[in-house]
Amino acid sequence: MASSKTARVGEENRIDKVNAELVTLTYGTIVAQLCSDYDSNYGEVNKQLDRMGYNIGMRLVEDFFAKSGTQRCANFRETAETISKIGFKIFLNITPVVTNWTTDSKQFSLLFEENPLADFVELPDDGKAQDELWYSNMLCGILRGALEMVQMQVEAHFISDILRGDETTEMRVALIRYIEDELPPDDE
């Protein structure tokens, strides 16, 4: 029942969207510049994309709640459905599939049938990018930052990408812990 509700909220929101090609080209320029700045050290490029995404996610969560009108999720499964059916729908106009749950419901995968960040993209043909660069790694950081703002520490990383020649693009998300509200020292 919660799943159909989240799908409906994601569909009902008519949000003005930035031209998708502009976002794609801008993102591509950012990745290309990072590759240049870090001399094709793709491990460092991945870290920078994740860091940038984390900062975006921390700010994006407020916009998400304002646009979606959703409330706090009851559990991690509901969070996953909300991310997929509302968050990605609002901001990228896609709905990745939530799948591959662990038995303890602390890890899941997002399968991307489409990824607008990867449109018109070819990875550098330097013999390294195909194995080392996670082109859309900013999305992992965005999830980390946004979920931290709602008291969930997660790890997110890609395990496959069609840009690397894989059959699917899959992101793995794992709940590390729920973050307790912490008061500064000497506050009551």
Side-chain angles (χ1 to χ4, degrees):
M1 181 166 154
S3 179
S4 63
K5 180 183 176 192
T6 55
R8 187 174 60 251
V9 171
E11 289 295 322
E12 289 174 355
N13 280 291
R14 300 291 178 226
I15 309 298
D16 293 334
K17 300 204 179 354
V18 176
N19 181 317
E21 287 182 16
L22 176 63
V23 171
T24 300
L25 295 172
T26 302
Y27 184 77
T29 302
I30 291 169
V31 175
Q33 187 62 52
L34 286 172
C35 289
S36 173
D37 289 351
Y38 290 97
D39 297 320
S40 299
N41 177 344
Y42 298 119
E44 190 59 36
V45 171
N46 292 335
K47 287 179 191 173
Q48 293 302 318
L49 289 170
D50 183 79
R51 187 174 300 147
M52 293 167 76
Y54 177 82
N55 290 326
I56 291 168
M58 290 181 73
R59 289 160 182 78
L60 200 62
V61 72
E62 291 178 27
D63 196 35
F64 167 79
F65 282 120
K67 288 180 178 179
S68 70
T70 60
Q71 300 298 312
R72 196 173 264 263
C73 297
N75 56 49
F76 198 50
R77 280 187 175 268
E78 189 178 328
T79 300
E81 292 295 325
T82 301
I83 290 166
S84 170
K85 294 187 172 108
I86 302 174
F88 276 101
K89 185 71 174 175
I90 288 173
F91 295 110
L92 290 176
N93 199 27
I94 60 172
T95 307
V97 176
V98 178
T99 188
N100 298 331
W101 280 97
T102 55
T103 55
D104 63 1
S105 295
K106 291 188 177 183
Q107 292 185 36
F108 65 91
S109 289
L110 290 171
L111 292 178
F112 294 84
E113 294 176 11
E114 56 184 316
N115 178 358
L117 295 182
D119 287 347
F120 319 116
V121 172
E122 288 184 26
L123 295 181
D125 189 16
D126 61 2
K128 292 177 16 182
Q130 205 74 18
D131 296 326
E132 298 175 16
L133 178 62
W134 293 106
Y135 184 82
S136 300
N137 214 45
M138 188 179 285
L139 295 176
C140 297
I142 289 171
L143 284 185
R144 284 190 324 102
L147 290 175
E148 187 171 302
M149 296 304 291
V150 292
Q151 278 69 45
M152 288 183 214
Q153 181 182 3
V154 300
E155 178 185 297
H157 62 277
F158 281 97
I159 59 174
S160 65
D161 190 340
I162 57 171
L163 289 176
R164 293 173 134 202
D166 298 320
E167 289 185 23
T168 61
T169 298
E170 181 176 349
M171 180 194 297
R172 195 80 185 141
V173 182
L175 176 65
I176 306 300
R177 69 184 180 103
Y178 289 99
I179 301 168
E180 300 295 323
D181 287 331
E182 298 174 3
L183 294 175
D186 300 319
D187 271 9
E188 294 181 19

